[in-house]
Amino acid sequence: MGENDQHLAAALRLHSPSALEDLMDSYGSAVYGLVARILAGTCQPEDVEECVSDVFLKAWRRIDEYDATKGSLRTWLLILAKYAALDARRKLMKKQETASLEEHVMSEDSVENQVLSKETAAEIINMVNELPEPDRTIVYRRYFHYESIEQIAKGLELTAKAIENRLYRLRKMLKSKFGGGREEIAHVPE
């Protein structure tokens, strides 16, 4: 570990505000770059900035966990950044999946779909999460990740017809769950 890192770690252990500023000045761009790469495509710029702030706050609070014999201060900080960004990515993806399903449910033009509540969307999500494999994976890959039937079939080593049949049965199940008169709920445009 470099002499500067030794002094910086010692000052952080004393909870010196200037040490936190120095840490951010020294490693802010590296942390930002890593977080931005991990969160790419899942967030807004402010989400990256929030995650970076969280990383430095964790470093401030957890500096006593840093062990110079195991690696440099930079490496320790980038490990904190990696795990914080992965956690943030999971949360953002889950939020997007929920919003995506709500959009599918609410995007139909019928009056019935316009009055569906968030409770109904949450119930649908719960139903999807309770599906056995590979049905749950098929639903997520098709309606949350927008993969083609061919991509899903190849990834799951099934035929395209098998995927189409499973999706048909799943839409039919949703239709029956929410009432036979609401065909548009169970039909998601292909």
Side-chain angles (χ1 to χ4, degrees):
M1 177 165 87
E3 190 174 314
N4 188 40
D5 279 357
Q6 288 176 350
H7 292 297
L8 192 52
L12 284 168
R13 285 188 175 97
L14 296 173
H15 295 291
S16 165
S18 63
L20 182 59
E21 288 179 31
D22 291 343
L23 184 70
M24 292 170 72
D25 288 342
S26 298
Y27 301 112
S29 61
V31 169
Y32 188 92
L34 178 62
V35 169
R37 283 191 302 277
I38 292 172
L39 296 181
T42 63
C43 68
Q44 301 296 319
E46 57 268 16
D47 295 321
V48 174
E49 292 167 10
E50 182 178 344
C51 187
V52 169
S53 296
D54 290 345
V55 169
F56 285 106
L57 183 59
K58 282 181 185 177
W60 173 261
R61 291 181 176 161
R62 297 170 56 183
I63 188 63
D64 291 330
E65 296 173 19
Y66 169 64
D67 183 356
T69 62
K70 293 182 180 177
S72 69
L73 186 60
R74 180 182 190 275
T75 300
W76 178 74
L77 192 59
L78 290 176
I79 289 169
L80 289 178
K82 172 186 168 185
Y83 288 110
L86 289 172
D87 287 343
R89 182 178 178 85
R90 277 190 287 275
K91 288 176 187 170
L92 289 165
M93 294 294 286
K94 188 169 184 95
K95 188 176 175 182
Q96 287 176 354
E97 288 171 355
T98 302
S100 178
L101 182 58
E102 286 177 5
E103 286 175 20
H104 278 301
V105 172
M106 298 302 215
S107 67
E108 298 293 327
D109 293 334
S110 75
V111 173
E112 288 174 302
N113 282 334
Q114 292 176 9
V115 297
L116 281 178
S117 67
K118 287 187 178 186
E119 292 171 358
T120 303
E123 190 175 338
I124 292 171
I125 291 170
N126 287 336
M127 286 176 60
V128 169
N129 287 333
E130 291 173 3
L131 290 172
E133 288 299 339
D135 292 344
R136 179 177 43 238
T137 299
I138 291 169
V139 169
Y140 275 109
R141 290 179 73 172
R142 181 68 176 151
Y143 299 118
F144 294 99
H145 300 287
Y146 305 104
E147 292 184 20
S148 71
I149 289 175
E150 292 75 23
Q151 288 173 312
I152 298 168
K154 184 177 179 184
L156 296 177
E157 297 179 356
L158 296 169
T159 65
K161 190 66 177 169
I163 300 297
E164 289 172 355
N165 288 338
R166 285 178 181 267
L167 287 170
Y168 172 77
R169 285 194 304 271
L170 292 167
R171 286 191 303 266
K172 193 172 180 179
M173 179 194 68
L174 284 172
K175 176 182 172 183
S176 69
K177 174 72 176 168
F178 292 100
R182 293 202 227 168
E183 183 174 325
E184 57 273 18
I185 292 173
H187 176 19
V188 179
E190 295 296 328

